[in-house]
Each structure stands twice: as structure tokens, then as C-alpha cells.
């Protein structure tokens, strides 16, 4: 915004041809962030995320997230923990292992400095955590479905309702996808235990 004219001014990094569209990237934002900052959402937003944990985590867990981030080429300190649309669960599950039981991760690291949080070392603890996470995701899925039903019952159609509907449909999709993956993992760990 220019001071004198109160006009919004864009400076291009390169020249453009007459009639060529000029676009702005809003960045890699989830629908929640797009709604919060810009008042719209996208259908099938590839950066959409279903957030699970609050931004505040115990100091010990935060220290472990910082410590382990360097060794696994991921920024595990990016909180809150969430599952991204069409993405593997590895990063989020590693974060949850650390947030869920930082003392366990610290002990693993003391026993083996090369320990990587993407490796499951305690199947019973992992299954318990996965079941807890699946229950949270089920709750979020149910909440999203209820929001969609409430939107449908109001018979109002405008941009704001459409944006909320897009964002909520995205949450339903991610929750269903994540639940499916979590249930497969839980079943896989269960069948491994039965075989051993």
C-alpha cells in the first residue's frame, strides 16, 4: 500500500507481455490459514492440514524435537502437529512419538545416539499412541461432518459459506484418509504381534 495514493502496488520481477495474467502466490497455506488471513479457501488444497495438537508442548518435548530435527532432515519443531492432505504420516507420527513420550525418546537416544524417530522400537507404545490419535481424528471427522450438515440446513449460498464448505470438505477428506492409514498401521502391528 503506497502512502500517498493508498493504492496497492506490485513490482514485477520480470517483464510481462500485454494481456499476460499477473498472479500472486498466497504461499503454501492450509485452508484454515487462507480463511483466517484472506477470507477464502480452495477445493482440494494440497497444503491443507488436519491439526491435532495445541501449539504448546512440554519443554522437554520441544527440546527433543529440536535435537532430532537435524538428524532426520525434517523440521519437527513445526507445530502444531498435523496430517497433510495426500502426504505420508511419517513426519507427524515422529513428532507425536516425541510429544507423546519425550522421556522414552531421550532414553532411546542415550542408548543409541543414531536412533531415528521414524523407527518404531516399542510396538505396544506405538499401537497405544496410534489408537489415541485415531480417536482424536474420528472426533475431528465427526465435528467436520456436523459442520457440513449445519451448512446444508441453512440453505444460504454465498462466498463465505462456500469457503467454509470447501475448508470443511478438505478436513473430512484428510480425516478419512488419515484414519484409513492409521487403521492399516494398527492392523499391521497387530498381525506382527500375532505372528511372533
Amino acid at each position: 500500500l503506497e502512502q500517498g495514493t493508498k493504492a496497492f502496488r506490485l513490482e514485477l520481477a520480470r517483464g510481462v507481455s500485454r494481456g499476460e495474467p499477473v498472479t500472486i502466490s498466497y504461499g503454501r497455506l492450509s485452508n484454515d490459514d487462507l480463511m483466517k488471513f484472506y477470507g477464502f479457501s480452495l477445493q482440494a488444497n494440497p497444503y491443507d492440514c488436519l491439526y491435532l495438537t495445541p501449539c504448546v508442548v512440554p519443554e522437554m518435548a520441544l527440546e527433543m524435537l529440536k535435537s532430532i530435527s537435524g538428524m532426520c532432515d525434517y523440521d519437527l519443531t513445526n507445530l502444531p502437529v498435523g496430517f497433510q492432505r495426500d502426504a505420508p504420516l511419517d513426519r507427524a507420527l515422529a513428532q507425536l512419538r516425541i510429544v507423546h513420550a519425550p522421556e522414552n525418546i531421550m532414553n532411546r537416544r542415550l542408548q543409541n545416539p543414531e536412533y531415528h524417530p521414524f523407527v518404531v522400537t516399542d510396538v505396544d507404545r506405538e499401537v497405544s499412541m496410534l489408537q489415541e490419535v485415531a480417536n482424536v481424528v474420528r472426533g475431528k471427522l465427526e465435528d467436520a461432518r456436523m459442520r457440513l450438515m449445519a451448512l446444508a440446513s441453512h440453505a444460504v449460498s454465498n462466498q463465505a459459506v462456500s469457503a467454509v464448505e470447501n475448508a470443511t470438505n478438505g478436513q473430512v477428506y484428510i480425516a478419512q484418509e488419515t484414519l484409513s492409514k492409521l487403521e492399516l498401521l494398527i492392523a499391521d502391528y497387530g498381525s506382527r504381534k500375532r505372528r511372533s
Side-chain angles (χ1 to χ4, degrees):
L1 199 57
E2 287 185 321
Q3 285 296 325
T5 63
K6 302 280 187 203
F8 189 73
R9 178 181 163 163
L10 291 175
E11 292 188 17
L12 303 177
R14 63 172 180 80
V16 293
S17 302
R18 181 177 290 264
E20 182 181 346
V22 176
T23 60
I24 299 172
S25 170
Y26 288 91
R28 296 176 176 198
L29 299 177
S30 68
N31 275 338
D32 281 349
D33 287 339
L34 288 173
M35 291 275 294
K36 191 180 331 174
F37 300 119
Y38 302 109
F40 72 92
S41 66
L42 302 171
Q43 283 185 312
N45 179 351
Y47 306 111
D48 210 1
C49 196
L50 179 71
Y51 295 108
L52 295 185
T53 61
C55 287
V56 178
V57 297
E59 189 63 33
M60 179 188 235
L62 193 54
E63 289 305 314
M64 288 306 301
L65 289 167
K66 287 176 187 173
S67 167
I68 294 176
S69 285
M71 69 180 293
C72 61
D73 296 326
Y74 283 105
D75 180 8
L76 297 174
T77 63
N78 187 12
L79 298 171
V81 176
F83 294 107
Q84 278 196 288
R85 182 184 191 95
D86 299 323
L89 304 182
D90 297 355
R91 180 177 160 266
L93 291 180
Q95 286 176 297
L96 288 168
R97 278 182 206 111
I98 295 167
V99 170
H100 192 260
E103 66 287 341
N104 182 50
I105 301 299
M106 184 163 318
N107 290 336
R108 294 279 177 213
R109 289 288 307 271
L110 290 172
Q111 293 168 4
N112 178 6
E114 299 300 312
Y115 169 73
H116 196 290
F118 285 31
V119 176
V120 175
T121 57
D122 184 336
V123 172
D124 290 332
R125 185 183 297 255
E126 183 76 1
V127 168
S128 174
M129 182 194 74
L130 291 172
Q131 289 169 335
E132 282 181 43
V133 170
N135 286 334
V136 170
V137 172
R138 279 187 198 94
K140 289 185 172 288
L141 176 60
E142 187 59 31
D143 290 347
R145 286 180 173 154
M146 297 297 281
R147 277 194 309 276
L148 285 173
M149 287 173 41
L151 285 170
S153 71
H154 284 86
V156 176
S157 182
N158 61 38
Q159 277 186 312
V161 171
S162 181
V164 171
E165 200 170 67
N166 281 342
T168 306
N169 278 323
Q171 296 295 287
V172 167
Y173 175 86
I174 297 168
Q176 289 172 329
E177 176 190 51
T178 301
L179 258 180
S180 174
K181 291 175 182 178
L182 290 169
E183 288 167 351
L184 284 171
L185 283 171
I186 293 167
D188 183 49
Y189 286 128
S191 69
R192 285 185 203 179
K193 282 184 76 167
R194 284 191 294 276
R195 279 185 266 151
S196 56

